Amino acid sequence: MMASNPILPVGPSQGSFILPEPKAGASGEGSFAGLLREAVTQTEGLQHEADALVEQVARGHSGDLATTMIAIEKAQISFQLMLQVRNKVVEAYQEIMRMQV
């Protein structure tokens, strides 16, 4: 029989995508917008990191292709998540607008 290794979860120390805790103001206003802004900033940072690693590999300065591929996948998954959040927000807005008619 072939021995299998368990699948280990990716923790925050490995750079996984983590939504920050919302920071509510006195009346709780702006926390959702702040949360979205933070998530977009984090997604943008992952994209820049992936771009820098791709450029290093292309120039021959780094031979760590696995790390580069992981960074690309992290950036892609983060972007896909943000796209789905945007789609859900647009869907919710359209549903609210239909209720007002």
Side-chain angles (χ1 to χ4, degrees):
M1 295 206 89
M2 178 187 232
S4 63
N5 295 330
I7 298 175
L8 301 174
V10 176
S13 62
Q14 283 91 11
S16 63
F17 185 81
I18 296 175
L19 292 176
E21 291 293 321
K23 298 173 187 166
S27 63
E29 294 180 40
S31 63
F32 183 70
L35 181 67
L36 287 178
R37 190 175 300 112
E38 186 87 21
V40 168
T41 301
Q42 189 173 5
T43 300
E44 185 179 21
L46 288 171
Q47 184 63 48
H48 287 302
E49 178 184 342
D51 288 344
L53 288 172
V54 166
E55 188 173 326
Q56 286 178 0
V57 168
R59 291 180 182 205
H61 296 298
S62 172
D64 196 4
L65 188 58
T67 302
T68 303
M69 293 303 296
I70 290 170
I72 291 169
E73 285 300 313
K74 281 183 184 178
Q76 183 178 7
I77 290 169
S78 180
F79 179 76
Q80 288 172 353
L81 174 64
M82 287 305 304
L83 185 61
Q84 291 303 316
V85 168
R86 180 201 64 107
N87 290 344
K88 289 296 181 181
V89 169
V90 169
E91 244 178 71
Y93 173 79
Q94 290 172 342
E95 184 66 27
I96 290 169
M97 295 309 290
R98 278 194 292 271
M99 284 192 266
Q100 292 180 356
V101 174

